[in-house]
Every structure is written in C-alpha cells, then in structure tokens.
Amino acid sequence: MIDINHYFDWAGTSPCDEDILTAALQETVSNWGNPSSSHEVGKQAKALLEKARETAAKAMGVSENTIYFTSGGTESDQIPLLALLSKPNKGTVLFSSLEHPAVREQALALKNCGWNVVAIPSDKEGRITPEAVLSVLTNDTMLVCVMAVNNETGAIQPVYEIADTITKWAEGKRKPKFHVDCVQAAGKIKIKLAGTGIDSAAFSSHKICGPRGIGILYLKNTMEVFLRGGGQEKGIRSGTENVYGALAFSKALERYYDCKHFEQQKQVTQDFIKNLTTLSNCTIIPPARLEKPENYSPYVVQAAFKNIPGNVMLRALDSKGFYISTGSACSTKKNNRPVLEAMNVSADLRETSVRFSFGPKTTQAGVQELFEAVKEVYNQFNN
C-alpha cells in the first residue's frame, strides 16, 4: 500500500478523491445513455453532462459556453494547434521553449506541414518575459503558446502581461490567438480567464484529484477545428462524451480550483527549500527561486545533487518508500531535459536534477520525512 504522505510526484499525477469518483460513477451507472441520443435515456445523460459543464464553469468563473470536455490536457493543448491546419494560408506559430511535450512536439509537427515554428526564448530564471514574446512576434503570427506554470521548475509565467503585450502589439491589425496550458496551474495558483486576453486554455483532471482521461478546453470564442466527427461538444471535440469523467472533473474543480491550500503549501515548501540549502552540494533550479519565491509555484521544486544522477536519487528514494520524479512523466523515456536546456542549465546539473511536487494532501510532517530521506541518500554520495 502506497503511503500518500510519502508521495511527491503530484505534477505527474494525483491520487483520486474516492468520494468524488464514487458519486460520479453512481450517477452515470443510473444514467448510462448516450448524451447525443434524442430519446429519454439519452436526454438524462445529456442533462448530467450539462450539469457537469455548469459546475465546472462556475468553479472557473467563466461562461458555460466556453467549456469543452476533452480526453485530457494533451488534447486540450493540441486542438488549437491542429485547428491551424484548417487555415488556407500558413503562417507563424510561437511556443515557449519551456512548454510541455503536448505543445512542443505538436508545434514542431506543424513545421513539417509548412508552418514557420519559433521557440520563444526563456531567461535563466525559467520564465518567458513579455519582451521575449514581443521580440519574435511577426505579422503572420497565428498562435502564441505560453504555459501558466512550468511542470518542471514551477516557474509562474506572466501570462496576463503577455496577453496584454500581444493585444497592444496587434492594435489596428489581426491579433494572434493566445493559448495557455493551465494543467499545472489549476488548483495551485489563482487563474482568471474571463475578461483577459487569453483565447484558449487547457486543463487536466488527473492533476487535481480527478480521474484520468478527461480534460477541459476553455475557448473564449469558437473556432474551426481540423479533426471532425459526430459534432459533439458543438463540433469542437467529436466523440461520444465521457459523462462520468466530466462529472468527476467538475467536482474536483469545485473542490480545488480556489487554491485554498496555497498558503499552507507555501510555508511547507519554503521550509523544504531552506532545508535543502543546508546540503552544500545541492542546487535549487533555478537559483533565482531563493530570492524571488513569489515567481514560483510552491507545488513544484527542482533541485540537483552533485555526484548523484537524478535516476539514482529517484531509485534510492523509491527503495525507502518515497516517490519523486526526474521531470515530466511524458518525457521520462526520452531521457532528455529540454526545459532545463532552454534555461541554459549546465549538463551536470541537468543530469543530477530531480523534481519534488506536492498537492493538497501533502503534509508538513511528510515533507520533513522526505528531506531526512534525501539527506541520507545525499550523505552516502557526498562523504
């Protein structure tokens, strides 16, 4: 049995809230119809789906007609990118050099289709500045993608300032669409979508104690999509709707979207980082986090330990019953660190870095026990 108090890979996935999943399952077992069917059984399922949409929209502070259910964060990220293939003329796509593979790899795939794809450079603090975006904007830019919170370093990106910069730059001409990956931000930091320059945003259920296989795409305005089908979700995401997932995700958003655990986790993380800095051969990545903690989510910490490859630290902690990661779960098998490379982190630090990530069930006692375990491993290699 996994000890939840020793689980520190929340950025990879979160444990589910059993009561939310059980309630959603009971409702969908009783209302098992296809929401697109016109008979009474289908109408009952449709009512449940719309109930979930209403709950999610209320939690997120947006209109119900801006919420589209998808299969997860990856699909929610890729729908706006793939929609570009419906455009008659090719142009430029900008994506931050810090993006999750869901955005980065799909953007690079567009390059093979004739699009001009440009990576927005990161600074050494792991942040994308509005000035960096401005430096690569062109008149044929169709889409700009910058994530809200980086999944490896926890860096909070200035997405609202970037949105304003794009809007101001585009005065008197066509404005590029601005897409924000909010997968690591939902339930972790305050997110405002309504009334901003954000055109679309991606969310994933399994990062905030909901089930896998369900996500949300927020769209300020509808769009013409590339992938077509039965026309579900107003044609934005065809395919039979996952009513169970939608219900469960909406309840998870209702429970966690307001970030009520933020201040508690902020203190726990500050104490953890302070403890790590007592280890002379430990480097917090980026070092700027020590001086500017407000620019980083308290739910993700990246650190490197000299003489201890990241995979070694992971396995050593795993043997002690503590669970961390070396980065994005979607990049683990590729054994590279493009986010850290984009920040010009040295090869030695990239090789020896690991990610600690936390969630609403993380306890101060558990994090202290994590530090003691890290210290034991550290001492084995640094004495």
Side-chain angles (χ1 to χ4, degrees):
M1 183 71 175
I2 299 299
D3 184 351
I4 190 64
N5 290 316
H6 291 169
Y7 180 73
F8 302 103
D9 189 24
W10 286 75
T13 197
S14 63
C16 299
D17 279 7
E18 185 176 350
D19 63 322
I20 286 178
L21 270 61
T22 299
L25 181 61
Q26 289 174 343
E27 285 197 271
T28 48
V29 165
S30 300
N31 298 276
W32 41 263
N34 187 322
S36 295
S37 298
S38 57
H39 47 59
E40 184 59 29
V41 179
K43 289 178 181 178
Q44 290 174 357
K46 180 70 170 180
L48 277 187
L49 182 66
E50 295 312 312
K51 172 186 172 183
R53 198 184 316 276
E54 179 182 354
T55 300
K58 185 177 179 180
M60 297 166 66
V62 298
S63 170
E64 292 171 41
N65 61 16
T66 63
I67 298 295
Y68 300 86
F69 290 110
T70 69
S71 65
T74 293
E75 187 178 27
S76 296
D77 275 327
Q78 293 184 348
I79 288 174
L81 282 157
L82 290 172
L84 296 174
L85 297 176
S86 299
K87 304 293 183 184
N89 300 312
K90 297 179 176 65
T92 295
V93 177
L94 306 179
F95 70 99
S96 93
S97 55
L98 307 173
E99 292 303 295
H100 185 276
V103 170
R104 182 178 65 249
E105 296 300 323
Q106 190 60 63
L108 293 175
L110 289 176
K111 187 175 183 179
N112 297 330
C113 298
W115 284 78
N116 181 38
V117 177
V118 177
I120 308 166
S122 164
D123 64 17
K124 290 185 178 181
E125 297 181 4
R127 305 184 83 222
I128 303 295
T129 65
E131 292 74 22
V133 176
L134 193 60
S135 71
V136 291
L137 275 170
T138 57
N139 288 331
D140 71 342
T141 299
M142 304 291 287
L143 179 66
V144 179
C145 301
V146 179
M147 68 197 326
V149 173
N150 185 262
N151 54 296
E152 294 198 32
T153 66
I156 300 172
Q157 306 302 329
V159 293
Y160 303 114
E161 292 86 345
I162 290 171
D164 291 342
T165 296
I166 295 171
T167 299
K168 185 175 180 180
W169 175 86
E171 287 179 358
K173 51 190 172 185
R174 179 191 52 78
K175 175 186 172 294
K177 297 294 185 182
F178 183 38
H179 175 73
V180 178
D181 180 333
C182 291
V183 169
Q184 294 295 343
K188 309 291 179 61
I189 66 169
K190 295 290 185 182
I191 307 169
K192 181 182 179 183
L193 297 172
T196 71
I198 297 172
D199 296 291
S200 58
F203 298 85
S204 179
S205 168
H206 77 100
K207 305 296 188 180
I208 57 168
C209 303
R212 299 175 184 84
I214 185 73
I216 282 176
L217 172 63
Y218 161 84
L219 283 180
K220 180 189 294 185
N221 299 301
T222 190
M223 62 167 64
E224 182 180 3
V225 297
F226 176 70
L227 296 177
R228 313 295 175 91
Q232 291 90 343
E233 294 298 291
K234 293 185 286 187
I236 296 298
R237 197 277 180 180
S238 291
T240 302
E241 302 92 337
N242 178 359
V243 179
Y244 160 76
L247 280 170
F249 190 11
S250 68
K251 287 297 183 182
L253 286 167
E254 188 176 55
R255 180 171 292 177
Y256 294 111
Y257 196 80
D258 64 359
C259 312
K260 64 181 67 174
H261 298 91
F262 180 86
E263 290 300 327
Q264 176 184 332
Q265 186 58 48
K266 180 180 175 181
Q267 186 59 56
V268 170
T269 299
Q270 286 176 348
D271 292 343
F272 179 60
I273 291 175
K274 184 178 180 180
N275 283 335
L276 289 178
T277 59
T278 65
L279 307 178
S280 58
N281 286 331
C282 173
T283 301
I284 303 300
I285 301 176
R289 179 171 193 148
L290 300 174
E291 300 173 358
K292 304 174 183 177
E294 69 278 3
N295 288 343
Y296 300 87
S297 165
Y299 291 90
V300 178
V301 173
Q302 184 86 203
F305 300 87
K306 188 176 180 180
N307 301 325
I308 313 175
N311 285 327
V312 173
M313 176 63 84
L314 185 154
R315 290 195 297 271
L317 289 176
D318 186 77
S319 69
K320 294 175 180 293
F322 293 84
Y323 311 102
I324 65 166
S325 72
T326 54
S328 167
C330 298
S331 298
T332 299
K333 294 181 180 179
K334 297 181 180 179
N335 200 31
N336 61 0
R337 304 299 296 273
V339 168
L340 301 187
E341 289 177 24
M343 295 165 57
N344 291 317
V345 173
S346 70
D348 287 344
L349 288 178
R350 295 200 304 269
E351 184 183 356
T352 57
S353 67
V354 294
R355 180 183 71 183
F356 306 97
S357 54
F358 314 111
K361 295 182 178 66
T362 298
T363 65
Q364 187 169 15
V367 174
Q368 181 60 39
E369 291 168 3
L370 168 66
F371 171 70
E372 296 300 332
V374 169
K375 187 176 179 180
E376 287 179 12
V377 177
Y378 170 88
N379 287 335
Q380 291 174 11
F381 289 84
N382 287 276
N383 277 338

